[in-house]
Amino acid sequence: MNVVVPLIATLGINNKVTFLEKHGTSEFQNSTGAYELDLSLVSNFSAAWRTMNLQTDVFCSGSVILPDKAGRQINVGGWSLDSTFGVRLYTPDGSPGVNGTNDWEENFHELSLLAGRWYPGALVLSNGSILVMGGETGSNASPQPSLEIMPLPAGAGTVHLDFLERTDPYNLYAAHIPAIIIFTHAMPSSYPFLTMLPSGRVFVGYYNEARILDPVTFATVQVLPNMPGAVNNSQVIDNCVSIQPEVPNATWTLERMPSRRVMSCMVPLPDGTMMIMNGAMEGVAGFGLAGDPNFNAVLYDPTLPVNQRFSILNNTIVARLYHSEAILLPDGRILVSGSDPQTPGFPEEMRIEVYVPPYLNTGIRQPQYSITATDFGYNQKFTITNVQVFHGSIANIKVSLVAAVSSTHGNAMGARTLFPAFTCAGTTCTITTPPNAFVSPPGWWQLWILDDVGTPSHSSWVRIGGDPAKLGNWPNLPGFTFPGV
Ligand SMILES: *[C@@H]1O[C@H](CO)[C@@H](O)[C@H](O)[C@H]1NC(C)=O
Ligand SMILES: *[C@@H]1O[C@H](CO)[C@@H](O)[C@H](O)[C@H]1NC(C)=O
Ligand SMILES: *[C@@H]1O[C@H](CO)[C@@H](O)[C@H](O)[C@H]1NC(C)=O
Ligand SMILES: *[C@@H]1O[C@H](CO)[C@@H](O)[C@H](O)[C@H]1NC(C)=O
Ligand SMILES: *[C@@H]1O[C@H](CO)[C@@H](O)[C@H](O)[C@H]1NC(C)=O
Ligand SMILES: *[C@@H]1O[C@H](CO)[C@@H](O)[C@H](O)[C@H]1NC(C)=O
Ligand SMILES: *[C@@H]1O[C@H](CO)[C@@H](O)[C@H](O)[C@H]1NC(C)=O
């Protein structure tokens, strides 16, 4: 059961899930538009849901998790007028079984974007500042082909991006690209997709184009080949395209998915695979424009040879069209929510469900470990203790880091999966954190261990790289609290 038709779903470092809903434009006048779900209390409906509050409309906003010590969630942009300038922050608190008291903080008069943005992409840069890019000035309005940095450096303004102006509005409706995978980063459409590359430069994918930007000036360093497949009509296709952007003469690899799909959700899993689900097989977006729900759940394994990477899983059971999300839970399951199709024959969907990936369908008990410290620098060793596996031996475990994300419109902003080096002696394993902020931009990660057949443990949160931009002291303005650095 649910109380909201969410279009943003985020797992907090308190292991609770926040949901944000269209506000003002929602047809449910009884909704505040913001709720937090305590997964430990799902058997007690009234206890499980905490009501939160928003002031402006997050419809078509973007979100990321900050690298500050509180793991705050930031949400920028939105539906129209003041909301498109919105900057909203939430500091996760409470713990499983115990309600938090923090709410979303927002004070438009004190803190707003420089430019109104409907459909902005967001990214934590390697230097710890926040990049916000693109969108339109309002719903189906003129383009906002620029980027801005938060917190705003002294004297800085927006940076114009001619490639977003040229490709507007298609860069918002790249909904016909069912999946783009960059290394193991997920980007299933519609927002400018941003990620830090191992060289320290910024990748941006938009419309059917992609390029690499200088991280200081944001000038284009390299134009990558166009992605295969036109993204400007409503023919839903079964393309999956992937690229290693920084190899010499990088090209897109085109693979065929088992079914065609638009409005896909893609979830990076602890074993390095990607779960693909939800969406439609016909049309685009909501408002009567899409139909034929895709119930086919698909797993993508990037370690297998090209054209052998997809496996078809058990179907999902609820039609989830426009505004559906899928996110990874701390126990390795997937929380699937939403569908706000505004289309006759398809409900505004309040039911949420969990999907159990095959790695939890084997009957094997999940591995366990203990961790005490949670805050690490780069190329630093730390230990986990009491490592226990119930299949194979500790000598054959894997360790993975799955970055904290916030998912909207199937875009898991911040997605990244790493497999750090480690050694084990007895039941203690020593893990080496990633080498630098290019490979691993500052932030929070779910740390997993996996047994020899890929059964994941439960995750613990670790922070790697600190808070170099001192976001924890920001914003020091009326209406906001901040955790310090
Ligand atoms: C709002 O009303 C709908 C039914 O109209 C109900 O399903 C939903 O749970 C209610 N939401 C809240 C927050 O009470
Ligand atoms: C948490 O707060 C909500 C109100 O927002 C309440 O309905 C619920 O019972 C509380 N849960 C617990 C575990 O106290
Ligand atoms: C459900 O939670 C409420 C607090 O929100 C509590 O009063 C009630 O006893 C709980 N019910 C059960 C069956 O645990
Ligand atoms: C990070 O880089 C951006 C782009 O050059 C710059 O505007 C910002 O001030 C930098 N942040 C820090 C903390 O140096
Ligand atoms: C759609 O894309 C195709 C391939 O890129 C191009 O040939 C065609 O002109 C585009 N149509 C429109 C209306 O932009
Ligand atoms: C990249 O392309 C250029 C021009 O076609 C060619 O000369 C060069 O050998 C290629 N490099 C690699 C590594 O394939
Ligand atoms: C499909 O569901 C059945 C019944 O729950 C389960 O036994 C089987 O392992 C599932 N298959 C996959 C590929 O997860």
Side-chain angles (χ1 to χ4, degrees), residues 170 207-208 230 232:
Y170 297 126
Y207 182 43
N208 64 341
N232 54 6

Side-chain angles (χ1 to χ4, degrees), residues 43-48:
S43 57
N44 184 342
F45 181 80
S46 66

Side-chain angles (χ1 to χ4, degrees), residues 125 127-129 149 151 153 215-218 468-469:
L125 293 169
N127 72 7
S129 292
I149 300 292
V216 177
T217 63
F218 300 104

